[in-house]
Amino acid sequence: MPRGLPLRDRAAGRPAGQAAGRLAGRPTLAILYDRADEYAPNAFQQVLDGIRTHPDIAVFRVALNDPPSGSLAVAAAAAPQQGGFIKLAAYTGGNIAVLYPDIGEPYRSVFSKIIEGIEDKAKVRVASYPIGGGTRPEELAGELRRQNVRVVIALGRNGLKAASSLERGSVAIVAGGVLTVPESEMRGMAVYSLAPDPELLFARLKVLVPQVRRVYVVYDPRQNAWLLQLARAAARSQGLELVPREAQDLRAAMQQYQALLAGLDPRSDALWLPQDSTTVEESAVLPLVLQEAWNRNIAVFSSSLGHVKRGILFSLYPNNLELGRNLASSALGRLASNADADGGMVPLKDVLIAVNLRTAGHLGLNIGASQRFDLVFPEP
């Protein structure tokens, strides 16, 4: 097939004799796809653009319910001639499914953006299933079997709960949109956490507050022991000293913060607030940290976007579209290997940055126009 031939010249509407004439005399691969599968024209167009660059490939748009004299007859008309042959490749259904929470805004838009990224990267139809209170595990499992699903991308706690009820030998699971999963529940599952990678947090801290030498953090080991392992290595790579303090209840957390904030050196110390429901409690801990840090000119950064609006210096937060693409890459890898890959927690690497300019000004930081921020507070 000559390069650059328009798709309409290869489509099912052409006279069968013309198609056969083009294909005769050399090995050719014919790609058939069902017009009902055109769920996302842009995604399909990208796939077809890549396919049609090969001179020996023909693309036919067909309808699977057409009679034999219709679209499929074109492929039959392009039968072996003059020693050539045709191989037919047909799309047989999506092998990736996404389970996501059936939830209202603003969270629905977040999951929709992640799914958009999954579909963009996968370049195939991805079956999506909203999971609500009425979802029956046995019905879901039956539907996934009928769709020949081999890899499930589970989003959020509801999606993960539904995926965990499936027979693990029948499907591989990639999880996203959660902070953490107990080690006992992972069983070879890859979990893409919403907790920003400490390496990225510390690197940004060094850019914004270059004089910092020590980073203090109060954390609950039941939630964030895995993250602190990464944070120790990340601090060393950035030339920082990480000083962790453990607390397993709110009272212990308040005591740790009161002692820390009284002794931090604003010239060299910074405080990190991880996503931790025990140690970064919103109604008691956060107001204390904000007030004392402002009074003593302490740089505080966070793993939670909402804290920046309230006065924390900066935060990293998810780029949901890129997160979806990353989840799709992991799912495609498992689909290709036909087996579970190594499981474990993966920190968020697809991030955007938010900064509070009022806090930066109060700290005397020189944040130039050359530095790019995705969100700025206070809002203009």
Side-chain angles (χ1 to χ4, degrees):
M1 186 72 63
R3 292 180 184 272
L5 189 65
L7 178 59
R8 63 178 179 272
D9 289 338
R10 307 179 192 180
R14 288 185 58 200
Q18 292 182 28
R22 291 274 190 181
L23 299 174
R26 56 181 164 181
T28 301
L29 174 67
I31 306 294
L32 308 183
Y33 71 96
D34 183 6
R35 66 188 181 197
D37 286 331
E38 291 176 318
Y39 70 99
N42 289 340
F44 253 81
Q45 190 60 45
Q46 292 174 28
V47 175
L48 295 175
D49 286 346
I51 290 172
R52 68 164 62 99
T53 61
H54 196 287
D56 294 331
I57 295 180
V59 178
F60 295 94
R61 179 176 180 270
V62 301
L64 296 182
N65 59 356
D66 280 354
S69 60
S71 301
L72 293 178
V74 176
Q81 297 184 28
Q82 301 178 9
F85 62 90
I86 296 175
K87 293 181 180 179
L88 301 180
Y91 174 67
T92 57
N95 291 317
I96 298 175
V98 179
L99 310 182
Y100 66 97
D102 188 7
I103 194 171
E105 296 293 356
Y107 302 105
R108 180 183 295 275
S109 295
V110 170
F111 290 116
S112 296
K113 202 67 176 179
I114 295 173
I115 294 172
E116 181 184 340
I118 292 170
E119 292 179 337
D120 179 70
K121 179 66 176 181
K123 297 296 190 289
V124 297
R125 181 176 56 190
V126 176
S128 299
Y129 299 92
I131 305 298
T135 301
R136 297 183 179 182
E138 63 276 9
E139 293 181 358
L140 176 63
E143 177 62 21
L144 295 179
R145 282 194 299 270
R146 284 189 291 273
Q147 295 292 331
N148 191 31
V149 169
R150 291 162 49 202
V151 181
V152 166
I153 299 176
L155 300 179
R157 298 303 307 180
N158 283 358
L160 184 56
K161 182 179 179 180
S164 298
S165 69
L166 302 172
E167 183 181 349
R168 190 59 59 89
S170 62
V171 294
I173 299 175
V174 176
V178 294
L179 278 177
T180 185
V181 174
E183 189 173 344
S184 59
E185 297 179 16
M186 283 197 245
R187 293 184 297 160
M189 181 191 310
V191 181
Y192 286 76
S193 174
L194 290 176
D197 190 338
E199 181 83 34
L200 301 178
L201 280 166
F202 297 164
R204 180 58 67 169
L205 175 67
K206 290 291 292 290
V207 171
L208 294 177
V209 197
Q211 70 270 23
V212 166
R213 296 293 178 266
R214 285 179 299 273
V215 173
Y216 290 79
V217 59
V218 182
Y219 76 104
D220 185 342
R222 296 169 299 183
Q223 298 183 37
N224 280 315
W226 71 275
L227 190 64
L228 263 291
Q229 289 183 357
L230 299 178
R232 289 184 178 94
R236 286 193 298 270
S237 72
Q238 294 293 330
L240 296 169
E241 178 187 354
L242 183 68
V243 186
R245 296 285 186 264
E246 292 187 12
Q248 296 194 22
D249 58 48
L250 179 58
R251 180 179 179 182
M254 291 290 287
Q255 291 173 343
Q256 291 281 15
Y257 282 116
Q258 287 168 348
L260 281 178
L261 290 166
L264 291 183
D265 185 345
R267 296 168 298 180
S268 59
D269 296 339
L271 180 63
W272 169 31
L273 302 181
Q275 291 174 308
D276 192 308
S277 60
T278 301
T279 67
V280 192
E281 192 270 339
E282 298 284 329
S283 63
V285 169
L286 191 59
L288 170 68
V289 170
L290 286 169
Q291 186 63 52
E292 291 302 312
W294 183 271
N295 291 342
R296 302 199 61 244
N297 291 334
I298 303 295
V300 184
F301 62 103
S302 174
S303 297
S304 299
L305 172 61
H307 293 170
V308 181
K309 186 175 183 179
R310 296 181 63 175
I312 296 301
L313 177 59
F314 80 92
S315 173
L316 300 182
Y317 63 100
N319 181 331
N320 293 312
L321 189 66
E322 291 301 322
L323 174 58
R325 290 172 178 148
N326 208 0
L327 289 168
S329 293
S330 179
L332 289 169
R334 289 171 180 245
L335 198 60
S337 65
N338 200 30
D340 277 352
D342 292 336
M345 298 292 300
V346 180
L348 181 70
K349 298 179 183 295
D350 306 300
V351 297
L352 302 173
I353 180 170
V355 67
N356 190 302
L357 295 181
R358 179 170 178 262
T359 300
H362 177 75
L363 295 173
L365 301 178
N366 182 20
I367 297 182
S370 61
Q371 298 186 44
R372 177 184 173 274
F373 305 106
D374 299 286
L375 275 179
V376 173
F377 296 98
E379 297 176 354

